[in-house]
Amino acid sequence: MFTIRKAAVSDAKNLGMIHALSWKKAYEGIVPKEILDKITPEKRAQFFKKALTLQWEEDYLLTVDDLPAGLLCLGKARDEDCKDTAGEIWGIYLHPDFYGQGYGRVLLDYGLSELQKKRL
């Protein structure tokens, strides 16, 4: 069973963990190890705490059986030629333990639905 909900500042630790582990797994062998080693759950948690506090973006937390499993980041479209009503999925990240189970598609569909509701 899974749920998706808008993330709160109190979720920063889980968001940071998901983001860091996702990057390390997805970019292993592509991005130099020295760079990946600098991406830590603690540093990413600090970023998400600040981003959520200052409302830089909207983040959503996917949990599977009450375990933090995924992260969806939404915001206004960043392309200069887009209308103010255009939105963008800034990122989808999954904890590596949940790769290959369809949760990336679940987050994509959820993000598109949220953008449609907001007309972003």
Side-chain angles (χ1 to χ4, degrees):
M1 171 153 207
F2 71 86
T3 61
I4 300 173
R5 64 172 174 77
K6 195 168 186 180
V9 174
S10 60
D11 293 312
K13 183 177 178 181
N14 284 330
L15 300 177
M17 182 258 312
I18 292 165
H19 192 258
L21 293 178
S22 178
W23 259 77
K24 288 176 183 291
K25 182 70 173 177
Y27 294 111
E28 184 178 35
I30 299 169
V31 174
K33 184 180 182 320
E34 301 79 41
I35 293 173
L36 293 177
D37 286 345
K38 293 178 184 177
I39 300 171
T40 66
E42 296 78 18
K43 286 181 184 176
R44 297 312 302 154
Q46 289 175 1
F47 167 82
F48 283 108
K49 183 176 181 180
K50 188 172 185 178
L52 289 166
T53 299
L54 298 176
Q55 299 178 352
W56 289 343
E57 62 193 33
E58 285 187 28
D59 296 312
Y60 294 83
L61 178 64
L62 165 74
T63 59
V64 177
D65 296 328
D66 296 321
L67 297 172
L71 160 63
L72 169 69
C73 306
L74 301 179
K76 290 207 176 264
R78 296 174 281 187
D79 291 342
E80 292 178 13
D81 60 341
C82 287
K83 296 179 182 180
D84 285 344
T85 56
E88 180 179 340
I89 295 175
W90 289 359
I92 294 174
Y93 304 93
L94 290 174
H95 187 294
D97 289 349
F98 296 92
Y99 283 9
Q101 298 176 42
Y103 293 115
R105 181 63 196 211
V106 166
L107 286 172
L108 175 64
D109 290 343
Y110 188 88
L112 292 172
S113 176
E114 285 299 301
L115 291 174
Q116 186 68 19
K117 284 182 209 173
K118 298 173 189 308
R119 293 223 186 266
L120 289 177

